[in-house]
Every structure is written in structure tokens, then in C-alpha cells.
Amino acid sequence: MFDDENAEYLVVVNGEEQYSIWPATRDLPGGWTAVGAPRPRKECLDHIESVWTDMRPKSVREALENAGSLIAQGSRMVLSQLVDADELKAMSPEELRNMLASLDDDVIYGEDGNVIEPNPGPEVA
């Protein structure tokens, strides 16, 4: 059904911005929308290859973008507690990277400023 080179197909996309082809003579499956007019299979596949450059579902891309934003905000908050704002503005990107690299990732501070001991989990023999 999907490998007939002589049939006409539609490029279809779902809510997660994932693409596929669908036979033009069949009803679209639920949750999918046609993009453009019916065309030969090869043209559909070429179109998908040109527009679908990030294979991750939309929800995954957005979650990762939001996580990156939260990490950046957290890093700025941590740095603002460690360094005067004017000193921070004067630092080169390399100096900032070195400062972040020197931070101890294993130390977590509570709201009171005291170190929170991480849960070591079960001992491995």
C-alpha cells in the first residue's frame, strides 16, 4: 500500500510535528493533517526529508528547551550568589566556564544555606 510508485500520496503531519505519507485515496487517520496536494511517493518523501529536520517529537523538543532555560536561570542565580554582578559582567566567557567547571556538582545547598547531604543509595560491593 505504501510502496506503490505509481500511486498518489499525501504528506501528513500529526500534533507532535511528525511526518509520514498516506495514500491519497484513503481517509486520513485520526490526529493527522494533510500537507499540500496529492503527489507521487518520491515527491512526498523528498518533501518530508527537506522539512522534517529534527526527528524528536514536538513535546520532547519543548521539554528540552524548557529544561535548558531553567538550567540557565539556575546557573545565573548560583553565579549571582557567588560573584558581584559587575564582576560577573566583566568576566570573559572562558572565565565564566572555568568558574562553573570549578563548582562542586555534588554539593547541594538548602534554603538555609546549609549543605544537604545527598542520599548515597545502597552500597555496592
Side-chain angles (χ1 to χ4, degrees):
M1 170 179 6
F2 290 92
D3 57 357
D4 182 354
E5 295 293 333
N6 298 319
E8 294 263 297
Y9 294 90
L10 294 167
V11 172
V12 292
V13 63
N14 65 18
E16 287 287 339
E17 296 179 359
Q18 297 169 306
Y19 288 82
S20 188
I21 62 171
W22 192 255
T25 57
R26 298 192 61 188
D27 290 339
L28 292 178
W32 293 83
T33 304
V35 178
R39 51 192 143 180
R41 181 177 185 276
K42 172 114 173 67
E43 285 183 31
C44 289
L45 295 175
D46 289 345
H47 176 75
I48 290 171
E49 186 175 344
S50 71
V51 297
W52 196 15
T53 57
D54 188 340
M55 304 300 268
R56 298 173 300 171
K58 181 181 179 182
S59 59
V60 171
R61 292 191 317 266
E62 289 176 348
L64 290 173
E65 288 168 9
N66 290 338
S69 176
L70 290 174
I71 290 168
Q73 289 173 5
S75 296
R76 283 193 293 276
M77 288 174 44
V78 167
L79 287 174
S80 69
Q81 298 299 314
L82 298 173
V83 182
D84 177 67
D86 290 330
E87 184 180 348
L88 190 58
K89 288 177 190 174
M91 287 183 168
S92 70
E94 184 178 352
E95 289 171 320
L96 285 171
R97 277 192 298 275
N98 290 339
M99 175 185 281
L100 287 171
S102 70
L103 295 175
D104 185 356
D105 291 336
D106 295 329
V107 177
I108 301 171
Y109 296 93
E111 289 182 18
D112 59 1
N114 293 325
V115 174
I116 298 172
E117 294 296 327
N119 180 357
E123 283 190 34
V124 177

